[in-house]
Amino acid sequence: MRANISNLTNNIEMFFTQKDLVGEASCRSWDGKGNLTWTTSGCETVKINNTIKCSCSHLTFFAVLMSPPDVNANITDYVDSLSFITSIGCGISMFFLSVALFMHFLLRKAKSNQATKILINMFVALFLLNLSFLSNESVANTEVKSACVFIALLMHYSMLTTFTWFFIQALHMYLWLIRQNVTITNYMRKITVFGWSELYEQNTFYSDTLRTAKTSMSDCKLEIT
């Protein structure tokens, strides 16, 4: 019972059948001593449809261990297509935002009311967000730290201001429709300062690279510490 049987001339073959194989199968063995440490030494794993074949050259305790599927591996197959679709969407958004801003400053600037001014500020924040997002990869590929810090800071800042101006737009509609008799002195000046003023804590800037089977994409990121 305690004999160590190994290096067999003819391997011992074991077959395990499972209908739904989720994850990566691996034939492992354990010598029955000490800690429960499974090893692949002396065993080969062959997957045939829904059947797992374990071919081992020794006798001991055997098991098939299933590791979780690599989610990132599935995602990277679609990264290129999703990045292309995202870039097209951001480009279209920038185009129409540019048209709206051009028409406003050219034709309606003198006639702007409070609602229009708030909307234009929100358009500017969205334009900066799309611009910084689209140029992020190109800046990261230059490997210039100062440029990477600037574009990461701009994208983070424009994202915060975009959310802030959406909140201001909702607040303005509430005051206009529900609280109609409310009067705030220097209203536009106050909400403009609030909309474009953002607080920053200590931040870490770095460049990250995502590699796929076809291409590799880099981007500059900001991490709040």
Side-chain angles (χ1 to χ4, degrees), residues 27 41 44 52 58 67 78 93 102 110 137 141 150 183 211:
C27 297
S41 177
E44 296 180 357
I52 301 171
H58 59 281
S67 59
Y78 306 98
S93 177
F102 175 77
E137 183 179 353
N141 289 332
F150 172 77
T183 302
R211 302 186 184 277

Side-chain angles (χ1 to χ4, degrees), residues 80-98 126-127 129-131 133-134:
D80 296 331
S81 300
L82 293 176
S83 299
F84 178 75
I85 295 172
T86 302
S87 299
I88 294 297
C90 290
I92 294 174
S93 177
M94 281 187 63
F95 172 76
F96 285 106
L97 287 170
S98 302
L126 282 170
F127 183 86
L129 178 60
N130 284 286
L131 178 63
F133 179 80
L134 289 176

Side-chain angles (χ1 to χ4, degrees), residues 76-77 80 211-216:
T76 53
D77 295 336
D80 296 331
R211 302 186 184 277
T212 64
K214 298 180 180 179
T215 60
S216 61

Side-chain angles (χ1 to χ4, degrees), residues 7-92:
N7 298 323
L8 297 175
T9 303
N10 297 321
N11 288 354
I12 298 175
E13 296 182 349
M14 294 162 285
F15 296 87
F16 301 87
T17 303
Q18 180 67 30
K19 292 183 179 180
D20 299 320
L21 294 178
V22 179
E24 189 68 23
S26 178
C27 297
R28 303 293 182 99
S29 62
W30 176 50
D31 59 6
K33 300 178 182 179
N35 297 328
L36 186 60
T37 303
W38 296 93
T39 178
T40 57
S41 177
C43 289
E44 296 180 357
T45 306
V46 180
K47 185 176 179 181
I48 306 173
N49 296 327
N50 293 329
T51 302
I52 301 171
K53 174 185 174 183
C54 295
S55 179
C56 300
S57 61
H58 59 281
L59 295 179
T60 183
F61 298 92
F62 298 101
V64 176
L65 303 185
M66 304 294 294
S67 59
D70 189 357
V71 178
N72 293 330
N74 297 330
I75 293 176
T76 53
D77 295 336
Y78 306 98
V79 166
D80 296 331
S81 300
L82 293 176
S83 299
F84 178 75
I85 295 172
T86 302
S87 299
I88 294 297
C90 290
I92 294 174

